[in-house]
Amino acid sequence: MHDIIRYYLGFNLVPGIGPLRLARLIEQCGSVAAAWHASDKDMIAAGLDARSMAGLRTARQTIDLDAELARLRAAGVTPVSIVDPAYPPLLRMIPAPPPLLYVRGTLTPADQRAVAIVGTRRPSNYGREVTHRLARDLATAGVTIVSGLALGVDTIAHTAALDAGGRTIAVLACGADRVYPERNRALAERIITAGTLISDYPLGTPPAPLNFPPRNRIIAGLSLATLVTEASEQSGALITVQFALDQGRDVMAVPGSIFNPLSAGPHRLIREGAAIITDASDILEALSLDGPNRPNESPLELALTAEEEAIYRAVEAEPQHIDAIGRTAGLPAAATAAALALLELKGIVRQVAPSYYARG
């Protein structure tokens, strides 16, 4: 396997030889090692053009495969080729799967129970709460959450899965030795300890715009289904949806307010046949997976004061402003804030955004 991975690593550094061309060259030559040393005759027979042939010749003369492998290991990155048993089975099933993955973290058989959660980088309070609850409940049920480490929905989904003690996979549009966006570096380190960062780009690759659609293809390919929680009709999340459809995977969407432009994407998907999702159990049932262990939202087992109980009853599943909660409970602002702080410490209320609260 050591020799095999060296050659896959080498091919991933050759411009112009993607998954399909590499597969044809391996078929022509009989092995990836023989493909690396292919003659011009074999390269022509495999359909390589002059640019790709020149690139392979140059790579053989200039790339030290052992040094490249050592560089990966020094960066804490594990290369996983398509012939490796650790390669994700769901991803192997898509058309033209990436021949090599750069992995930071661990891949496990449990990751075959995976759902992608994608959406806008600027979710509303509703979108934040929906994403958090669905990712949390799916992770609690043993489902691996897949997303792209972007701000907004991606970040919320990864974080909720980790906070629930579950697994999550972040697919990068840059080299696995880099983190984009930079502000998610701490989140990326958490993911490495309870999941994995995955890229199919060589070390040092910057997050160029052209890298994101291929990244989205891998997100969909790693997952049994792709769920859009909140997104405009122009959102990049819908690119992931198209890849999921092309791969024969399920597409799901969360309905929202007809007045919210960020619900336009999910509503369009629902009109086109996407499954309507209002609860994690909808996803688990559609995919024939086991149900979640739902968190206990009842405060009855906790010792609550009269004010805390009044505030708890006023808090709803959908986020509300603190002033609205106080008015419903009939309590002054100071008492409302104090009760919410204590309920948050007890784990039955969450602050979703500044001054907005929902049940935990």
Side-chain angles (χ1 to χ4, degrees):
M1 190 62 72
H2 171 79
D3 286 339
I4 291 174
I5 201 68
R6 290 168 67 250
Y7 295 117
Y8 275 106
L9 178 58
F11 274 115
N12 219 46
L13 299 172
V14 179
I17 300 184
L20 292 176
R21 285 179 172 172
L22 178 55
R24 288 197 300 265
L25 188 58
I26 292 173
E27 183 179 4
Q28 172 67 27
C29 297
S31 71
V32 68
W36 180 255
H37 298 288
S39 65
D40 285 1
K41 179 181 177 181
D42 283 333
M43 286 192 272
I44 293 171
L48 269 63
D49 59 16
R51 176 175 171 269
S52 301
M53 292 172 62
L56 179 53
R57 292 191 209 100
T58 300
R60 291 190 299 218
Q61 295 170 359
T62 59
I63 297 176
D64 183 334
L65 299 181
D66 289 325
E68 287 297 325
L69 193 56
R71 193 161 74 96
L72 284 182
R73 289 172 176 161
V77 175
T78 302
V80 177
S81 77
I82 195 166
V83 298
D84 192 313
Y87 192 94
L90 287 172
L91 187 61
R92 188 184 279 119
M93 295 168 59
I94 73 172
L100 183 71
L101 300 175
Y102 300 83
V103 174
R104 291 180 66 193
T106 56
L107 291 166
T108 75
D111 296 330
Q112 295 183 56
R113 292 166 48 96
V115 170
I117 299 181
V118 296
T120 178
R121 285 172 169 77
R122 293 184 175 86
S124 66
N125 288 336
Y126 169 79
R128 295 177 63 86
E129 185 63 13
V130 163
T131 301
H132 173 89
R133 285 173 179 265
L134 291 174
R136 178 198 65 189
D137 290 350
L138 288 172
T140 301
V143 174
T144 297
I145 303 301
V146 182
S147 202
L149 200 66
L151 300 178
V153 165
D154 292 17
T155 294
I156 296 164
H158 290 307
T159 303
L162 293 171
D163 290 346
R167 286 184 55 78
T168 188
I169 295 174
V171 185
L172 308 178
C174 55
D177 57 332
R178 306 182 64 155
V179 173
Y180 180 82
E182 176 64 29
R183 72 177 74 177
N184 271 350
R185 181 164 295 279
L187 174 58
E189 293 300 324
R190 287 188 68 193
I191 291 172
I192 291 169
T193 65
T196 185
L197 304 181
I198 288 181
S199 173
D200 67 334
Y201 293 106
L203 296 187
T205 302
L210 288 177
N211 296 353
F212 286 86
R215 182 278 305 264
N216 294 351
R217 188 176 82 101
I218 295 176
I219 290 174
L222 287 166
S223 310
L224 295 167
T226 292
L227 169 68
V228 180
T229 56
E230 196 172 53
S232 70
E233 287 200 86
Q234 290 75 43
S235 172
L238 301 190
I239 298 176
T240 311
V241 166
Q242 188 57 56
F243 282 124
L245 293 171
D246 293 343
Q247 296 162 4
R249 305 291 169 80
D250 287 342
V251 171
M252 304 173 173
V254 176
S257 168
I258 62 173
F259 303 110
N260 182 4
L262 293 176
S263 295
H267 289 169
R268 192 191 90 190
L269 295 177
I270 290 168
R271 288 196 302 272
E272 294 173 352
I276 299 175
I277 300 302
T278 61
D279 188 84
S281 61
D282 295 337
I283 301 171
L284 297 168
E285 182 178 352
L287 299 177
S288 299
L289 300 176
D290 296 333
N293 299 317
R294 296 181 179 277
N296 181 13
E297 295 188 345
S298 171
L300 299 179
E301 298 178 4
L302 301 173
L304 301 183
T305 66
E307 287 186 344
E308 290 170 0
E309 185 169 348
I311 290 295
Y312 180 82
R313 294 185 184 280
V315 176
E316 298 178 357
E318 187 165 345
Q320 298 177 89
H321 193 274
I322 187 172
D323 293 344
I325 295 171
R327 285 195 297 271
T328 300
L331 292 174
T336 299
L340 284 170
L342 291 171
L343 292 173
E344 193 172 5
L345 287 173
K346 294 176 180 179
I348 57 176
V349 165
R350 294 177 51 250
Q351 185 172 10
V352 177
S355 299
Y356 282 82
Y357 293 83
R359 292 199 174 188

